[in-house]
Amino acid sequence: METGGPTVEQARRLVTEIPGPRSRALHERRLAAVASGVGSVLPVYVAAAGGGVVVDVDGNSLIDLASGIAVTTVGNSAPAVVARVQEQVAAFTHTCFMVAPYEGYVEVCEALAELTPGDHHKKAALFNSGAEAVENAVKIARVAPGRDAVVVFDHGYHGRTNLTMAMTAKNMPYKQGFGPFAGEVYRAPMSYPLRDGLTGAEAAARAIDVIDKQVGASNVACVVVEPVLGEGGFIVPAPGFLPAVADWCRERGILYVADEIQSGMCRTGAWFASEHEGVVPDLVTVAKGVAGGLPLAAVVGRAEVVDAPHAGGLGGTYGGNPVACAAALGAIEEMREHDLVARATAIGERLTARLTALAAEHPVVTEVRGRGAMQAIELCVPGTTEPDAARTAAVSAWCHAQGVLTLTCGTWGNVVRFLPPLAIGDDLLDEALDVVAEAFAATA
Ligand code: PLZ
């Protein structure tokens, strides 16, 4: 299936070095005008994108294995997104839902209530970014029980605002120098099968013990966990870890919040990654893939929990902007129409097969892991679990030079992650993986 914008040919083609002269000229302007704290993985400046391809201003076509960090799940400028956005942008661009509401916001909340795990009565509130959704999930979780503590996990990533920096594990580049951070945020050990060798039950017992002894269950408002860790290294917790944590939360009156900002909306071969282990969260945070590239985020969950804040207690000028809502309805339409849950599973199988073969050939590839179209390889010094960030960077840079847009992640920067748009064709995906294999041979 190739649902890319009709004008974007689905092929990799390099016509200049990467980055080319036009990108380099734009980069010069950028260096003078844009804050240097804002980085770019690959400074090719984009002219168009669709399906599995990004076209730069020099006319180079790159294969997209990043989806703008798991956002363009339905592909860039997917037809249903474009159609609905065009219609909405011509009708009205903004009224503020808190001033004069509109149907699109309601429809997005209805759709998310239906798509998130569990068939209980759910409600939602809409925001602009993932970090804002996490902030609001914590506000909602704290208000009813009058408890303050928020528990997060090692290797977790939740955003760059003050509260979500506190919740994010990794110091550089996210937190260094930006404190002091919000209080009452506590970190528990995560299940990381490659590094701890624990079963899910053992890892959950270890985490629960830390929470119990260091925080006290009766002080905890919520536990916030990514069912597949994103920035932290695409870590899939050992089977049973998430259900055990969720069960313990329920027994103790603690809200279980799944941060599905990266793992949600078809990415892992399920609408939400919590489903893989039958976990029904009290609250789910949603962003990234939900709106096909427009900024939209949501907190979705049990109606009685979401309704805990007083009237007027939640909001924001742009939250649930009508154009972003139209984009979300278009993206959800694409997901349903093209069965992108199944497509993510198929892409995952293809990725796993190729990456497993790669690992057999290159012992630096210590583990292949992930769910669906959220796959990664962790690189370590062969025979050890000592992270090899240098090789990871070299492999990724080689891919970029050959026109394949890869991303890295992980606490030690030693993970290459694969997040293709689900609109990518098999041929293009195979070609990208050929390049990845060549990158390992070339950097050996
Ligand atoms: N929760 C699980 O993955 C965003 C961050 C990129 P925002 N991840 C990409 C970067 O370096 O800033 C993310 C996530 C999870 C929350 C967030 C935050 O979402 O939309 O970036 O605020």
Side-chain angles (χ1 to χ4, degrees):
M1 184 199 63
E2 294 186 359
T3 58
T7 53
V8 180
E9 191 197 344
Q10 296 298 295
R12 177 175 63 116
R13 186 178 308 109
L14 300 187
V15 296
T16 71
E17 71 278 18
I18 299 291
R22 286 175 182 221
S23 278
R24 290 202 303 270
L26 279 169
H27 203 65
E28 282 305 309
R29 274 172 58 194
R30 171 222 180 109
L31 291 178
V34 178
S36 56
V38 182
S40 293
V41 170
L42 176 57
V44 296
Y45 286 72
V46 177
V53 169
V54 171
V55 183
D56 75 11
V57 289
D58 290 289
N60 298 299
S61 295
L62 295 87
I63 303 178
D64 183 9
L65 295 185
S67 301
I69 324 187
V71 171
T72 51
T73 302
V74 295
N76 251 292
S77 304
V81 173
V82 171
R84 288 190 187 241
V85 165
Q86 282 178 341
E87 195 183 325
Q88 179 59 49
V89 82
F92 65 96
T93 49
H94 175 84
T95 57
C96 185
F97 194 74
M98 301 184 305
V99 174
Y102 38 88
E103 184 178 359
Y105 190 116
V106 179
E107 210 177 331
V108 170
C109 293
E110 288 169 346
L112 291 175
E114 189 186 323
L115 296 172
T116 45
D119 48 18
H120 49 286
H121 183 201
K122 282 171 259 167
K123 294 177 95 172
L126 304 183
F127 305 97
N128 303 292
S129 68
E132 212 189 337
V134 174
E135 291 259 356
N136 280 279
V138 171
K139 281 166 70 171
I140 290 168
R142 277 174 168 163
V143 73
R147 300 173 175 189
D148 292 336
V150 174
V151 172
V152 291
F153 289 89
D154 286 336
H155 313 288
Y157 182 92
H158 301 288
R160 293 176 182 263
T161 59
N162 188 265
L163 171 63
T164 59
M165 274 193 292
M167 295 170 69
T168 289
K170 192 172 172 176
N171 180 49
M172 275 297 275
Y174 308 119
K175 302 166 74 164
Q176 176 63 38
F178 297 143
F181 303 113
E184 288 306 308
V185 174
Y186 299 90
R187 195 169 306 286
M190 186 63 193
S191 167
Y192 193 157
L194 173 69
R195 291 177 183 279
D196 62 26
L198 300 178
T199 66
E202 290 164 350
R206 177 179 66 171
I208 287 165
D209 191 54
V210 167
I211 303 169
D212 241 345
K213 297 297 169 294
Q214 298 182 18
V215 193
S218 63
N219 298 312
V220 180
C222 61
V223 165
V224 184
V225 62
E226 299 162 83
V228 178
L229 280 83
E231 303 306 306
F234 281 29
I235 303 160
V236 183
F241 176 82
L242 297 171
V245 171
D247 286 347
W248 181 79
C249 286
R250 195 170 310 110
E251 286 158 16
R252 298 294 189 287
I254 296 166
L255 294 174
Y256 177 94
V257 183
D259 181 345
E260 294 247 24
I261 286 164
Q262 191 152 169
S263 59
M265 301 307 292
C266 301
R267 176 52 58 185
T268 69
W271 280 98
F272 290 91
S274 296
E275 294 168 40
H276 294 292
E277 291 203 81
V279 172
V280 178
D282 295 301
L283 295 174
V284 181
T285 55
V286 184
K288 291 191 184 280
V290 69
L294 272 80
L296 187 76
V299 180
V300 193
R302 293 187 186 284
E304 67 277 17
V305 174
V306 173
D307 277 344
H310 48 278
L314 302 176
T317 304
Y318 292 112
N321 167 272
V323 182
C325 286
L329 295 171
I332 291 167
E333 182 185 327
E334 292 274 344
M335 291 173 187
R336 286 186 160 136
E337 201 157 297
H338 300 291
D339 193 1
L340 293 187
V341 165
R343 182 65 189 140
T345 304
I347 287 176
E349 283 162 6
R350 212 168 187 93
L351 282 168
T352 308
R354 292 293 302 269
L355 296 173
T356 305
L358 189 73
E361 210 173 315
H362 298 280
V364 69
V365 180
T366 308
E367 189 172 59
V368 178
R369 62 175 180 245
R371 286 195 191 276
M374 186 173 182
Q375 294 288 331
I377 47 178
E378 177 157 356
L379 277 61
C380 296
V381 174
T384 74
T385 53
E386 189 187 321
D388 193 344
R391 183 75 181 280
T392 308
V395 164
S396 207
W398 203 91
C399 290
H400 296 168
Q402 299 302 315
V404 175
L405 184 41
T406 48
L407 294 177
T408 61
C409 63
T411 295
W412 297 278
N414 67 323
V415 177
V416 183
R417 57 175 150 171
F418 301 91
L419 284 169
L422 303 182
I424 197 171
D426 285 343
D427 290 355
L428 215 54
L429 184 61
D430 284 345
E431 185 178 334
L433 291 165
D434 289 342
V435 172
V436 172
E438 288 163 23
F440 274 89
T443 57

